[in-house]
């Protein structure tokens, strides 16, 4: 008697997802928090995200946003809840991930932490997660229970100058909650929202090879009308640098050595200041002229001193420079 195949076969769909966690941030699939159609009927959870009373306009490098996230389980069974707070700038899309800080903590909920995450198109979302859990672990909300959290974020100088507001939303990828609508918060432009960036964020210098990069100083705040005097430094100033370095800046098509000592150099001034969204470019070249050791190799960071005579400079992203002091044979 021959075997008869079943009319119904089970099918399994396998998907592989690559997740990279670096410096408190997690790279997630683009669609991790994409909107999905809600199932028919009443959802068991009701989730809201609201700005706290008295919320002032946000400022780059200053006043941030304080919000309260709440979820209520109206069902008779425990329910999963895996929320994220999305922040979408109203204006230019930022080109990196240094424009926002994010945190979360429990008010009346299990111990909690916030984890930065992102997808395609420079979209930002911050996971709100049970403490010491991986990014995919949801909260378990008991029946007829309300949990609440304090979530906050701060905008940094790297947010482009034409972003005058941010739209803040709540997403739950378990698709078992109704979610409150987005909240739009205005962004003010204080004077002096300066941020540095480099065309080369890593490289090396030796007795036979200099290091070159384009250093950019951008003002993402209100216009600055006075001269800005930026200072460049190799290392953080906490210990002597065992290398003698010479700094040249390209001016009028010629490399010009700028004054400095102890791996600190005064760059040419930005005469007249910087308008809103304007950038000052410095093509810089570092050359190794002496090495004291110990050893013959070390690395450190290159960046502006984090304040000028016109206010603070966001120096989060620096250039990493390796120094090879091996003698030339």
């Amino acid at each position: 008697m021959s075997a008869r195949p079943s009319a119904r076969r089970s099918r399994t769909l396998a998907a592989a997802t690559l997740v990279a966690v670096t410096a408190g941030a997690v790279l997630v699939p683009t669609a991790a928090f994409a909107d999905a159609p809600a199932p028919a009927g009443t959802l068991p959870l009701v989730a809201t995200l609201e700005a706290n009373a008295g919320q002032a306009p946000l400022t780059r490098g200053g006043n941030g946003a304080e919000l309260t996230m709440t979820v209520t389980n109206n069902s008779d069974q425990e329910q999963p809840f895996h929320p994220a707070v999305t922040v979408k700038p109203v204006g230019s899309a930022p080109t990196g991930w240094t424009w926002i800080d994010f945190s979360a903590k429990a008010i009346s909920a299990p111990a909690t932490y916030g984890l930065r995450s992102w997808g395609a198109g420079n979209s930002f979302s911050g996971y709100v997660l049970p403490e010491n859990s991986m990014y995919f672990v949801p909260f378990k909300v008991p029946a007829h229970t309300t949990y609440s959290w304090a979530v906050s974020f701060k905008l940094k100088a790297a947010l482009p100058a034409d972003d005058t507001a941010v739209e803040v939303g709540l997403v739950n990828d378990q698709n078992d909650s109704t979610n409150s609508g987005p909240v739009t918060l205005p962004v003010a432009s204080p004077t002096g929202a300066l941020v540095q960036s480099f065309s080369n964020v890593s490289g090396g210098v030796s007795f036979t090879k200099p290091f070159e990069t384009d250093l950019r100083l951008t003002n993402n705040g209100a216009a600055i009308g006075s001269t800005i005097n930026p200072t460049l430094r190799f290392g953080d100033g906490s210990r002597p640098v065992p290398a003698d370095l010479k700094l040249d800046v390209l001016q009028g098509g010629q490399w010009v050595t700028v004054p400095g000592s102890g791996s600190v150099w005064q760059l040419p001034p930005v005469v007249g200041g910087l308008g809103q969204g304007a950038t000052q470019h410095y093509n810089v070249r570092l050359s190794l002229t002496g090495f004291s050791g110990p050893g013959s190799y070390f690395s450190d960071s290159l960046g502006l001193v984090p304040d000028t005579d016109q206010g603070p400079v966001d120096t989060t992203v620096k250039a990493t420079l390796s120094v090879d002091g091996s003698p030339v044979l």
Side-chain angles (χ1 to χ4, degrees):
M1 177 173 159
S2 62
R4 182 177 177 181
S6 170
R8 295 188 304 175
R9 298 177 183 273
S10 62
R11 303 178 184 271
T12 301
L13 177 64
T17 301
L18 179 65
V19 176
V21 179
T22 307
V26 55
L27 181 63
V28 300
T30 303
F33 287 108
D35 292 334
T42 302
L43 297 175
L45 301 178
V46 176
T48 61
L49 181 68
E50 297 178 338
N52 292 349
Q55 174 67 56
L58 310 181
T59 57
R60 294 166 178 80
N63 178 62
E66 304 289 339
L67 304 100
T68 300
M69 184 176 71
T70 303
V71 64
T72 298
N73 182 0
N74 293 312
S75 75
D76 295 327
Q77 296 179 336
E78 179 182 80
Q79 299 291 335
F81 183 55
H82 191 231
V85 175
T86 63
V87 183
K88 179 182 178 182
V90 180
S92 296
T95 57
W97 307 109
T98 61
W99 60 275
I100 186 169
D101 285 330
F102 176 78
S103 63
K105 63 180 180 180
I107 298 175
S108 58
T112 297
Y113 81 111
L115 182 66
R116 293 160 51 90
S117 65
W118 57 86
N122 289 322
S123 59
F124 172 85
S125 61
Y127 287 102
V128 181
L129 298 168
E131 193 172 51
N132 299 322
S133 297
M134 296 293 288
Y135 81 96
F136 52 81
V137 177
F139 288 96
K140 299 296 181 64
V141 186
H144 303 290
T145 297
T146 296
Y147 282 165
S148 62
W149 297 265
V151 296
S152 61
F153 63 87
K154 290 187 176 182
L155 304 178
K156 304 176 73 174
L159 182 71
D162 66 346
D163 284 307
T164 58
V166 291
E167 185 181 274
V168 187
L170 170 63
V171 186
N172 167 30
D173 70 355
Q174 296 294 299
N175 199 32
D176 60 352
S177 68
T178 58
N179 304 321
S180 60
V183 178
T184 300
L185 300 175
V187 178
S189 295
T191 300
L194 297 169
V195 60
Q196 72 172 16
S197 58
F198 293 88
S199 59
N200 295 328
V201 295
S202 64
V205 60
S206 67
F207 284 112
T208 59
K209 178 185 177 183
F211 170 73
E212 295 183 20
T213 187
D214 179 20
L215 165 61
R216 298 179 290 270
L217 178 65
T218 301
N219 177 21
N220 283 328
I224 298 173
S226 302
T227 298
I228 304 171
N229 293 287
T231 301
L232 186 67
R233 179 173 66 192
F234 180 53
D236 61 8
S238 64
R239 63 185 185 276
V241 173
D244 296 324
L245 296 166
K246 183 183 73 166
L247 179 70
D248 298 317
V249 175
L250 193 63
Q251 295 180 292
Q254 301 292 324
W255 288 108
V256 177
T257 301
V258 299
S261 62
S263 298
V264 178
W265 303 272
Q266 187 66 56
L267 293 174
V270 187
V271 179
L274 282 172
Q276 184 180 26
T279 297
Q280 174 71 24
H281 291 256
Y282 293 100
N283 292 108
V284 300
R285 180 179 69 184
L286 277 172
S287 303
L288 181 64
T289 61
F291 194 87
S292 59
S296 59
Y297 182 90
F298 78 99
S299 63
D300 215 322
S301 60
L302 178 70
L304 294 173
V305 173
D307 60 76
T308 70
D309 47 2
Q310 296 297 330
V313 182
D314 186 339
T315 60
T316 302
V317 177
K318 299 182 180 182
T320 300
L321 181 62
S322 300
V323 179
D324 183 357
S326 301
V328 178
L329 301 178

